[in-house]
Amino acid sequence: MNDALFTTYDLGGLTLRNRIVMAPLTRNRANLDGDTPSDLTARYYAQRAGAGLIISEGCQISLQGKGYYRTPGIFTKAQITAWKRVTDAVHASGGHIFCQLWHVGRVSHTMFQPGGEQPVAPSAIKADAQTYGPQGMMAVTMPRHLEAQEMPRLFKDFEHAAYCAREAGFDGVEIHAANGYLIDQFLRESSNQRDDQYGGSKENRVRMFREVVDAITCVWSPDRVGFRISPFSHAGGIEVSEPMQTFLAVARSAANAGLAYMHVVEGETGGDRTMERHHIDDLRSEFGGTYMANNGYDRDMASRALDDGADLICFGRPFIANPDLPERLRHGAELAEVDESTLYGGGAEGYIDYPFWQPQAEGAA
């Protein structure tokens, strides 16, 4: 079998030990006091540092950017201090970790917003989505239109969060522009019905992404900034009339900025991989840089994708139950299954207590 998955890769001057990336995975275990990652979080990520690269769970860039219960932020001194313990633990284990910068936009609830205000969105259109609250899943709140004069502050929030991520010791950052969250909402006509410079034409709808990139690359070198998109997903009920034209424009904008990688959810987020293969080729050609593939990959699929020109492969759910996933993949070992009951919220159970693979248990040398 092709062993390219286990070869090193240079990403912005970082030598990744393999082509395996731990995808961003929301686990809803941040401390209630200040949305800081706990000591358990440091252990959780350190256990998984065998990945060539870890992308952190989504970290809200501001209180306004929060949409889910017990998700961590990256905008306060306390959060910087707590995340520094995480990055130190990952680095001590020989790994690399990027921080995913996240603003959920309309996928939120008034209970998470400062002063109980409405969430913000490109337009006042409610998402077809639920969020996770103290009592479980619940409907999102109707958002309000984000005023044009508020946009500079929003870009400052992204810049500040990028600065906080650097102070916390991350190796880089990923812009979350996927899965129906704020940047994705600006890209799609169904959620963006603005008539100003951020709406209408695809160039205007991409403007928000471009200005976020500009804000973040004031803090980070572009070769330490990646971005995630989900061109084929309908998360939260988002639609766009010409998806490839829109996302080719996104890829072109990112290429012009010299960003480190393009992370693509291939198909529906966490679901059907239905898509046209040539669309992936077109996106890769337009971006021209490191291509990170994601969505339902196993070892065989990963090897084929690398043969077809992908550079890095993201694994999500398998990393939850298999902290040593790269070793299991290398040896063709059986993968443990995720305990669905401990996926979101809780403490150590289902978080840091999944066992590591024991070769002797399978008769391996």
Side-chain angles (χ1 to χ4, degrees), residues 62-118:
S62 64
L63 193 55
Q64 184 193 71
K66 181 177 179 177
Y68 295 82
Y69 183 58
R70 293 188 68 182
T71 50
I74 187 67
F75 58 93
T76 70
K77 289 183 179 179
Q79 290 163 358
I80 292 171
T81 299
W83 274 115
K84 186 67 166 60
R85 290 194 290 270
V86 176
T87 61
D88 284 349
V90 169
H91 294 150
S93 298
H96 300 294
I97 183 168
F98 275 37
C99 180
Q100 190 188 66
L101 303 180
W102 190 27
H103 192 305
V104 301
R106 68 182 189 169
V107 185
S108 187
H109 192 282
T110 54
M111 73 178 296
F112 300 127
Q113 294 294 304
E117 298 176 357
Q118 287 175 282

Side-chain angles (χ1 to χ4, degrees), residues 269-299:
T269 302
D272 194 330
R273 288 181 52 84
T274 300
M275 58 186 174
E276 297 292 336
R277 176 67 219 181
H278 70 88
H279 288 163
I280 294 294
D281 294 338
D282 291 345
L283 284 167
R284 280 173 41 198
S285 177
E286 195 67 49
F287 178 57
T290 295
Y291 179 77
M292 184 184 293
N294 190 340
N295 205 16
Y297 274 88
D298 59 23
R299 177 172 172 170

Side-chain angles (χ1 to χ4, degrees), residues 324 327-328 330-334 355-365:
D324 53 349
E327 280 303 295
R328 292 187 188 232
R330 183 188 296 274
H331 295 283
E334 183 179 356
F356 283 69
W357 176 55
Q358 300 296 328
Q360 62 272 22
E362 298 186 13

